[in-house]
Short mmCIF file of all heavy atoms in Angstrom, two decimals:
data_model
loop_
_atom_site.label_atom_id
_atom_site.label_comp_id
_atom_site.label_asym_id
_atom_site.label_seq_id
_atom_site.Cartn_x
_atom_site.Cartn_y
_atom_site.Cartn_z
N PHE A 258 38.52 -33.58 19.30
CA PHE A 258 39.70 -33.36 20.12
C PHE A 258 39.79 -31.94 20.68
O PHE A 258 40.30 -31.74 21.78
CB PHE A 258 40.97 -33.69 19.32
CG PHE A 258 41.16 -35.16 19.09
CD1 PHE A 258 41.35 -35.66 17.82
CD2 PHE A 258 41.12 -36.05 20.14
CE1 PHE A 258 41.52 -37.01 17.60
CE2 PHE A 258 41.28 -37.41 19.94
CZ PHE A 258 41.48 -37.89 18.66
N LYS A 261 37.78 -32.17 23.76
CA LYS A 261 38.48 -32.92 24.80
C LYS A 261 39.57 -32.09 25.45
O LYS A 261 39.79 -32.17 26.66
CB LYS A 261 39.08 -34.20 24.19
CG LYS A 261 38.05 -35.27 23.89
CD LYS A 261 38.72 -36.56 23.45
CE LYS A 261 37.71 -37.68 23.27
NZ LYS A 261 38.36 -38.95 22.89
N GLN A 262 40.28 -31.30 24.64
CA GLN A 262 41.29 -30.40 25.20
C GLN A 262 40.65 -29.47 26.22
O GLN A 262 41.13 -29.30 27.35
CB GLN A 262 41.91 -29.54 24.08
CG GLN A 262 43.04 -30.15 23.31
CD GLN A 262 43.55 -29.17 22.27
OE1 GLN A 262 42.93 -28.99 21.23
NE2 GLN A 262 44.67 -28.55 22.56
N THR A 265 39.74 -30.48 29.91
CA THR A 265 40.78 -30.65 30.93
C THR A 265 41.29 -29.31 31.46
O THR A 265 42.07 -29.30 32.41
CB THR A 265 41.99 -31.42 30.34
OG1 THR A 265 42.63 -30.61 29.35
CG2 THR A 265 41.54 -32.73 29.74
N GLU A 338 48.33 -27.20 22.55
CA GLU A 338 48.31 -28.49 23.23
C GLU A 338 49.67 -28.80 23.86
O GLU A 338 49.74 -29.36 24.97
CB GLU A 338 47.90 -29.59 22.25
CG GLU A 338 47.95 -31.01 22.80
CD GLU A 338 47.03 -31.25 23.98
OE1 GLU A 338 46.18 -30.38 24.28
OE2 GLU A 338 47.14 -32.32 24.61
N ARG A 341 49.75 -26.92 27.00
CA ARG A 341 48.90 -27.55 28.02
C ARG A 341 49.61 -28.73 28.67
O ARG A 341 49.55 -28.90 29.90
CB ARG A 341 47.58 -28.01 27.36
CG ARG A 341 46.51 -28.46 28.36
CD ARG A 341 45.37 -29.17 27.67
NE ARG A 341 45.81 -30.47 27.15
CZ ARG A 341 45.91 -31.58 27.90
NH1 ARG A 341 45.60 -31.54 29.19
NH2 ARG A 341 46.31 -32.71 27.36
N LEU A 342 50.30 -29.54 27.86
CA LEU A 342 51.04 -30.69 28.41
C LEU A 342 52.18 -30.22 29.30
O LEU A 342 52.44 -30.82 30.36
CB LEU A 342 51.57 -31.55 27.27
CG LEU A 342 50.53 -32.33 26.45
CD1 LEU A 342 51.19 -33.07 25.30
CD2 LEU A 342 49.76 -33.31 27.34
N ALA A 345 50.70 -29.28 32.58
CA ALA A 345 50.33 -30.46 33.36
C ALA A 345 51.55 -31.09 34.02
O ALA A 345 51.50 -31.51 35.19
CB ALA A 345 49.63 -31.48 32.46
N ILE A 346 52.67 -31.13 33.31
CA ILE A 346 53.92 -31.67 33.88
C ILE A 346 54.43 -30.77 34.99
O ILE A 346 54.85 -31.23 36.06
CB ILE A 346 54.98 -31.82 32.76
CG1 ILE A 346 54.55 -32.90 31.76
CG2 ILE A 346 56.34 -32.17 33.36
CD1 ILE A 346 55.42 -32.96 30.52
N GLY A 349 52.55 -31.31 38.17
CA GLY A 349 52.46 -32.69 38.63
C GLY A 349 51.11 -33.34 38.39
O GLY A 349 50.64 -34.12 39.23
N LEU A 350 50.48 -33.04 37.26
CA LEU A 350 49.13 -33.55 36.97
C LEU A 350 49.12 -34.63 35.89
O LEU A 350 48.06 -35.01 35.40
CB LEU A 350 48.23 -32.38 36.52
CG LEU A 350 48.06 -31.23 37.52
CD1 LEU A 350 47.22 -30.12 36.89
CD2 LEU A 350 47.41 -31.72 38.80
N VAL A 351 50.30 -35.14 35.55
CA VAL A 351 50.38 -36.12 34.46
C VAL A 351 49.54 -37.35 34.75
O VAL A 351 48.84 -37.87 33.87
CB VAL A 351 51.85 -36.53 34.22
CG1 VAL A 351 51.92 -37.67 33.22
CG2 VAL A 351 52.66 -35.33 33.73
N ASP A 352 49.56 -37.83 35.97
CA ASP A 352 48.79 -39.02 36.33
C ASP A 352 47.50 -38.67 37.08
O ASP A 352 46.94 -39.51 37.79
CB ASP A 352 49.65 -39.95 37.21
CG ASP A 352 50.82 -40.53 36.42
OD1 ASP A 352 50.58 -40.97 35.27
OD2 ASP A 352 51.95 -40.51 36.93
N LYS A 353 47.04 -37.44 36.91
CA LYS A 353 45.78 -37.01 37.53
C LYS A 353 44.87 -36.43 36.45
O LYS A 353 44.65 -35.22 36.38
CB LYS A 353 46.05 -35.97 38.62
CG LYS A 353 46.93 -36.48 39.75
CD LYS A 353 47.23 -35.39 40.76
CE LYS A 353 48.13 -35.89 41.88
NZ LYS A 353 48.46 -34.79 42.84
N PRO A 354 44.33 -37.30 35.58
CA PRO A 354 43.57 -36.81 34.42
C PRO A 354 42.28 -36.08 34.78
O PRO A 354 41.77 -35.29 33.99
CB PRO A 354 43.26 -38.10 33.63
CG PRO A 354 43.34 -39.19 34.65
CD PRO A 354 44.40 -38.77 35.61
N LYS A 355 41.74 -36.34 35.99
CA LYS A 355 40.49 -35.69 36.37
C LYS A 355 40.71 -34.32 36.99
O LYS A 355 39.75 -33.57 37.20
CB LYS A 355 39.72 -36.58 37.35
CG LYS A 355 39.23 -37.89 36.71
CD LYS A 355 38.37 -38.69 37.67
CE LYS A 355 37.87 -39.97 37.01
NZ LYS A 355 37.01 -40.78 37.92
N GLU A 356 41.97 -34.00 37.29
CA GLU A 356 42.28 -32.68 37.84
C GLU A 356 42.31 -31.64 36.71
O GLU A 356 42.70 -31.93 35.58
CB GLU A 356 43.63 -32.70 38.55
CG GLU A 356 43.67 -33.57 39.79
CD GLU A 356 42.83 -33.01 40.92
OE1 GLU A 356 42.76 -31.75 41.03
OE2 GLU A 356 42.24 -33.79 41.67
N THR A 357 41.90 -30.42 37.05
CA THR A 357 41.89 -29.33 36.06
C THR A 357 43.30 -28.80 35.86
O THR A 357 43.99 -28.47 36.83
CB THR A 357 40.97 -28.19 36.52
OG1 THR A 357 39.64 -28.69 36.66
CG2 THR A 357 40.99 -27.04 35.52
N VAL A 358 43.73 -28.72 34.62
CA VAL A 358 45.04 -28.14 34.31
C VAL A 358 44.92 -26.62 34.44
O VAL A 358 44.03 -26.01 33.84
CB VAL A 358 45.48 -28.50 32.87
CG1 VAL A 358 46.80 -27.82 32.52
CG2 VAL A 358 45.60 -30.01 32.73
N GLU A 422 46.56 -44.76 16.30
CA GLU A 422 46.44 -45.36 17.64
C GLU A 422 47.08 -46.75 17.68
O GLU A 422 47.77 -47.10 18.63
CB GLU A 422 44.98 -45.43 18.05
CG GLU A 422 44.79 -45.95 19.48
CD GLU A 422 43.37 -45.74 19.97
OE1 GLU A 422 42.46 -45.65 19.14
OE2 GLU A 422 43.19 -45.67 21.20
N GLN A 430 52.80 -49.27 25.00
CA GLN A 430 53.06 -47.84 25.17
C GLN A 430 51.75 -47.06 25.15
O GLN A 430 50.74 -47.51 24.63
CB GLN A 430 53.99 -47.33 24.07
CG GLN A 430 55.38 -47.95 24.08
CD GLN A 430 56.24 -47.41 22.96
OE1 GLN A 430 55.74 -46.76 22.05
NE2 GLN A 430 57.52 -47.70 23.01
N GLU A 431 51.82 -45.85 25.73
CA GLU A 431 50.67 -44.96 25.68
C GLU A 431 50.53 -44.43 24.25
O GLU A 431 51.49 -43.91 23.68
CB GLU A 431 50.85 -43.78 26.65
CG GLU A 431 50.84 -44.15 28.11
CD GLU A 431 49.42 -44.29 28.65
OE1 GLU A 431 48.46 -44.08 27.88
OE2 GLU A 431 49.28 -44.62 29.84
N SER A 432 49.36 -44.57 23.68
CA SER A 432 49.16 -44.06 22.32
C SER A 432 48.97 -42.55 22.35
O SER A 432 48.81 -41.96 23.42
CB SER A 432 47.93 -44.72 21.68
OG SER A 432 46.74 -44.15 22.17
N TRP A 433 49.00 -41.96 21.19
CA TRP A 433 48.77 -40.51 21.11
C TRP A 433 47.38 -40.13 21.60
O TRP A 433 47.15 -38.97 21.95
CB TRP A 433 48.92 -40.03 19.66
CG TRP A 433 50.34 -40.05 19.16
CD1 TRP A 433 51.45 -40.46 19.83
CD2 TRP A 433 50.78 -39.60 17.87
NE1 TRP A 433 52.56 -40.32 19.05
CE2 TRP A 433 52.18 -39.79 17.84
CE3 TRP A 433 50.16 -39.09 16.75
CZ2 TRP A 433 52.95 -39.46 16.72
CZ3 TRP A 433 50.90 -38.76 15.64
CH2 TRP A 433 52.29 -38.94 15.62
N PHE A 434 46.47 -41.10 21.63
CA PHE A 434 45.09 -40.80 22.01
C PHE A 434 44.72 -41.51 23.31
O PHE A 434 43.60 -41.99 23.47
CB PHE A 434 44.14 -41.23 20.89
CG PHE A 434 44.54 -40.74 19.53
CD1 PHE A 434 44.94 -41.62 18.54
CD2 PHE A 434 44.54 -39.38 19.25
CE1 PHE A 434 45.32 -41.16 17.29
CE2 PHE A 434 44.92 -38.92 18.00
CZ PHE A 434 45.31 -39.81 17.02
N SER A 435 45.65 -41.57 24.22
CA SER A 435 45.39 -42.19 25.52
C SER A 435 44.19 -41.52 26.20
O SER A 435 43.95 -40.32 26.03
CB SER A 435 46.63 -42.06 26.40
OG SER A 435 46.35 -42.46 27.73
N SER A 436 43.44 -42.32 26.95
CA SER A 436 42.29 -41.75 27.67
C SER A 436 42.73 -40.71 28.68
O SER A 436 41.96 -39.81 29.04
CB SER A 436 41.52 -42.88 28.37
OG SER A 436 42.38 -43.60 29.25
N ASN A 437 43.97 -40.82 29.15
CA ASN A 437 44.56 -39.78 30.00
C ASN A 437 45.24 -38.77 29.07
O ASN A 437 46.34 -38.99 28.59
CB ASN A 437 45.58 -40.41 30.95
CG ASN A 437 46.24 -39.36 31.86
OD1 ASN A 437 45.96 -38.16 31.75
ND2 ASN A 437 47.14 -39.82 32.73
N LEU A 438 44.56 -37.66 28.82
CA LEU A 438 45.07 -36.67 27.86
C LEU A 438 46.40 -36.07 28.31
O LEU A 438 47.15 -35.54 27.47
CB LEU A 438 44.05 -35.56 27.64
CG LEU A 438 42.83 -35.89 26.79
CD1 LEU A 438 42.05 -34.63 26.47
CD2 LEU A 438 43.21 -36.60 25.52
N ASN A 439 46.69 -36.14 29.60
CA ASN A 439 47.96 -35.60 30.09
C ASN A 439 49.14 -36.50 29.72
O ASN A 439 50.30 -36.09 29.81
CB ASN A 439 47.91 -35.39 31.60
CG ASN A 439 46.88 -34.35 32.00
OD1 ASN A 439 46.53 -33.49 31.20
ND2 ASN A 439 46.40 -34.43 33.23
N ARG A 440 48.84 -37.73 29.35
CA ARG A 440 49.88 -38.64 28.87
C ARG A 440 49.80 -38.85 27.35
O ARG A 440 50.69 -39.43 26.74
CB ARG A 440 49.78 -40.00 29.57
CG ARG A 440 50.34 -40.00 30.98
CD ARG A 440 50.56 -41.40 31.50
NE ARG A 440 51.30 -41.40 32.75
CZ ARG A 440 52.62 -41.35 32.85
NH1 ARG A 440 53.36 -41.30 31.74
NH2 ARG A 440 53.22 -41.36 34.02
N ALA A 441 48.70 -38.41 26.77
CA ALA A 441 48.52 -38.53 25.33
C ALA A 441 49.37 -37.49 24.60
O ALA A 441 50.02 -36.65 25.23
CB ALA A 441 47.04 -38.36 24.98
N HIS A 442 49.37 -37.58 23.30
CA HIS A 442 50.11 -36.59 22.49
C HIS A 442 49.25 -36.16 21.30
O HIS A 442 49.59 -36.40 20.15
CB HIS A 442 51.44 -37.16 22.02
CG HIS A 442 52.54 -36.98 23.01
ND1 HIS A 442 53.09 -35.76 23.31
CD2 HIS A 442 53.18 -37.89 23.79
CE1 HIS A 442 54.03 -35.91 24.24
NE2 HIS A 442 54.10 -37.20 24.54
N ILE A 443 48.15 -35.53 21.63
CA ILE A 443 47.30 -34.98 20.57
C ILE A 443 48.06 -33.91 19.79
O ILE A 443 47.79 -33.68 18.62
CB ILE A 443 46.00 -34.41 21.17
CG1 ILE A 443 45.21 -35.52 21.86
CG2 ILE A 443 45.13 -33.79 20.09
CD1 ILE A 443 43.94 -35.05 22.53
N ASP A 444 49.03 -33.29 20.47
CA ASP A 444 49.83 -32.27 19.77
C ASP A 444 50.58 -32.88 18.58
O ASP A 444 50.69 -32.26 17.52
CB ASP A 444 50.79 -31.57 20.73
CG ASP A 444 51.71 -32.55 21.46
OD1 ASP A 444 51.30 -33.71 21.68
OD2 ASP A 444 52.84 -32.15 21.82
#
Side-chain angles (χ1 to χ4, degrees):
F258 289 126
K261 285 187 175 182
Q262 276 181 283
T265 67
E338 175 61 10
R341 190 193 69 81
L342 290 176
I346 293 171
L350 301 176
V351 173
D352 293 315
K353 299 177 181 178
K355 293 185 179 180
E356 294 291 326
T357 299
V358 176
E422 184 168 25
Q430 296 180 348
E431 293 278 0
S432 78
W433 288 2
F434 311 114
S435 171
S436 57
N437 179 359
L438 285 190
N439 296 336
R440 283 195 170 276
H442 274 291
I443 298 177
D444 55 331

